[in-house]
Amino acid sequence: AGRGDVSGVRVGVPRASFARPTPPNRLRRGRALAMAVLPEDVLASAREIKAIADPLPMIPRREALHRISIGRAYYAAYDAALRQARSDGWVIQDRPPGLATHEALWEWWYATMRGRSDVADLGRELKRLRITADYRPAVDVGEGSVATALGLADRLLAALRR
């Protein structure tokens, strides 16, 4: 088996399905052009990580990949909510002193965007799952938690489109 080969699944090797034309929303960084990564792309990668993890017989590696998938689902939702908040006039520097950036974003959705507390509730629940996945190694994170995180992220992105 080659480098990165786990149970017949090549890890870290790009598949043809990842290839797509360069979108018009490219960013210039220095002299090189970099493609903007959209929240939907990050959420798709969370699903792919879960698909790689689920059949693995090695529990520690499967657990680690599940934790990564939950994190990607959260950050896909966070990025989408942040982009929308910024386009609606939220300035991160205006957050109350002592309030962490992520919590300030979810609080803004709850307090400022009347009728949009669904975004805040979904974001906070996703954050709770991500905190568990990232900082509580003694807590088992299984397929159910990943499925919950992916579902919450889907619902949050759909709520932003309304």
Side-chain angles (χ1 to χ4, degrees), residues 57-78:
M58 299 171 291
I59 291 174
R61 183 165 295 165
R62 182 175 56 231
E63 178 79 8
L65 290 171
H66 281 156
R67 289 172 184 273
I68 292 167
S69 184
I70 289 170
R72 295 303 88 206
Y74 172 76
Y75 280 108
Y78 173 80

Side-chain angles (χ1 to χ4, degrees), residues 62-140:
R62 182 175 56 231
E63 178 79 8
L65 290 171
H66 281 156
R67 289 172 184 273
I68 292 167
S69 184
I70 289 170
R72 295 303 88 206
Y74 172 76
Y75 280 108
Y78 173 80
D79 184 50
L82 180 60
R83 288 174 189 227
Q84 185 63 50
R86 284 181 174 160
S87 75
D88 290 343
W90 185 62
V91 179
I92 199 166
Q93 289 79 8
D94 293 343
R95 73 182 186 270
L99 193 59
T101 304
H102 289 230
E103 188 53 39
L105 175 66
W106 303 127
E107 181 59 29
W108 181 84
W109 276 101
Y110 185 78
T112 307
M113 298 301 286
R114 303 283 182 230
R116 298 311 306 273
S117 63
D118 58 334
V119 172
D121 293 341
L122 292 166
R124 285 179 171 145
E125 181 62 18
L126 264 168
K127 183 180 178 192
R128 185 189 65 72
L129 288 170
R130 185 194 62 84
I131 294 297
T132 299
D134 285 352
Y135 302 113
R136 299 195 177 113
V139 176
D140 183 40

Side-chain angles (χ1 to χ4, degrees), residues 20 37-49 69 71-77 79 150:
R20 60 176 130 148
V37 177
L38 300 175
E40 293 80 5
D41 296 324
V42 176
L43 188 54
S45 72
R47 282 193 168 70
E48 290 170 354
I49 292 166
S69 184
R72 295 303 88 206
Y74 172 76
Y75 280 108
D79 184 50
L150 293 170

Side-chain angles (χ1 to χ4, degrees), residues 21-46:
T22 303
N25 60 343
R26 293 178 295 169
L27 302 175
R28 183 169 289 284
R29 291 190 186 143
R31 290 185 170 176
L33 289 176
M35 182 172 57
V37 177
L38 300 175
E40 293 80 5
D41 296 324
V42 176
L43 188 54
S45 72

